[in-house]
Amino acid sequence: MKTRLEFETPRTPAEMKTLIDEITEDRESISDADYHRRPRGIVKDLIEEYAPLQVLAEHTESDCKAYLMPVSNQGPDGVIELSSGKKMMIQVTVADQDHQTAMGRERLSEGHITIPASTRTRNPTTKGIEEQGRILTTRKARLQEQISKIVTAVQQKNDNFHEGTDILLVSANIFLSDEDLDHIWEDDLRAHVMSTGSPYPRICIDIRKEIIDVYP
């Protein structure tokens, strides 16, 4: 079974991707509880920190190496070491892993079914998580909601800035379609992020397949 220490080992972007694939495809040696549990299930480390770091490393330098800092570290979450020897300290956050998502993962860790588009509440009597409802929205409205979540994530990290951090990396699901082509969403995103007055020297958005520089 893979452990957190695997993420703290310096690897090239290609090696990181191989590790991510191995963990994602391994559903025999990792139990549901270990896979999804909060606060430190392997999915949390993988989705919220390691996978975004891999994308950034891949778009930085093919022969660089990257790794996560130990859980006990109070500063940045990860490091990218360039071939020149320079180290870039990376703070990683996720714009769409909110409390509702966390409760959904807790339900999964307990072996329950969970519906992505639902509202979850904790039953005060049983302490169990219950969910109900579905959400219908347009693609454009969904995109605007994602931009709002990204800005909120940046604002939260602004309040917890650590000196010496080179990049704030925000991971987000951006849903695009032909409907969105007339919506200059990247300009909206940059404008809103810059309006936060962030202390980070550079802010990048990982949208799974590419990195968008939004600040400065």
Side-chain angles (χ1 to χ4, degrees):
M1 171 180 164
K2 304 296 184 184
T3 66
R4 161 76 191 202
L5 290 177
E6 295 277 5
F7 298 149
E8 298 174 14
T9 301
R11 302 178 193 275
T12 65
E15 292 169 339
M16 294 172 75
K17 182 64 167 60
T18 297
L19 177 61
I20 291 169
D21 291 342
E22 288 177 359
I23 293 174
T24 301
E25 296 168 6
D26 180 9
R27 298 305 287 114
E28 292 184 3
S29 65
I30 306 176
S31 69
D32 286 341
D34 288 335
Y35 203 80
H36 297 288
R37 77 181 187 277
R38 296 284 291 184
R40 291 243 66 97
I42 197 166
V43 158
K44 174 177 168 48
D45 293 330
L46 184 71
I47 293 178
E48 298 190 9
E49 296 181 357
Y50 197 71
L53 183 64
Q54 188 277 333
V55 176
L56 180 60
E58 190 171 55
H59 285 76
T60 299
E61 194 176 273
S62 61
D63 56 351
C64 69
K65 292 191 175 182
Y67 54 92
L68 294 185
M69 298 293 286
V71 175
S72 59
N73 181 62
Q74 296 301 307
D77 300 306
V79 180
I80 294 180
E81 294 184 4
L82 304 180
S83 56
S84 64
K86 178 182 177 180
K87 292 184 179 181
M88 297 191 300
M89 308 305 293
I90 316 297
Q91 181 73 53
V92 188
T93 190
V94 182
D96 55 3
Q97 297 292 311
D98 55 16
H99 185 59
Q100 286 289 312
T101 306
M103 288 196 291
R105 287 216 300 263
E106 184 174 330
R107 279 181 61 82
L108 288 172
S109 73
E110 296 169 349
H112 299 301
I113 294 172
T114 188
I115 305 168
S118 65
T119 299
R120 302 175 186 94
T121 56
R122 190 178 296 277
N123 186 303
T125 302
T126 66
K127 304 304 180 183
I129 295 171
E130 300 174 351
E131 63 180 3
Q132 61 183 355
R134 288 179 175 273
I135 299 173
L136 296 178
T137 185
T138 64
R139 291 184 177 91
K140 188 170 183 178
R142 173 64 170 157
L143 179 59
Q144 291 170 330
E145 179 191 17
Q146 287 298 317
I147 290 175
S148 177
K149 288 184 176 181
I150 290 169
V151 173
T152 297
V154 171
Q155 291 171 328
Q156 291 174 342
K157 288 302 177 181
N158 287 350
D159 294 336
N160 294 287
F161 175 73
H162 292 278
E163 291 292 339
T165 304
D166 298 296
I167 299 175
L168 172 61
L169 174 62
V170 184
S171 181
N173 283 314
I174 297 293
F175 297 93
L176 301 177
S177 71
D178 290 343
E179 279 185 33
D180 304 311
L181 295 181
D182 64 343
H183 180 67
I184 309 176
W185 63 274
E186 286 189 40
D187 289 348
D188 283 353
L189 177 59
R190 288 189 175 93
H192 282 90
V193 170
M194 292 191 70
S195 71
T196 69
S198 180
Y200 290 92
R202 180 182 172 195
I203 298 178
C204 299
I205 310 298
D206 157 35
I207 60 171
R208 302 294 186 252
K209 294 183 179 179
E210 63 178 294
I211 294 291
I212 299 174
D213 277 296
V214 297
Y215 185 91

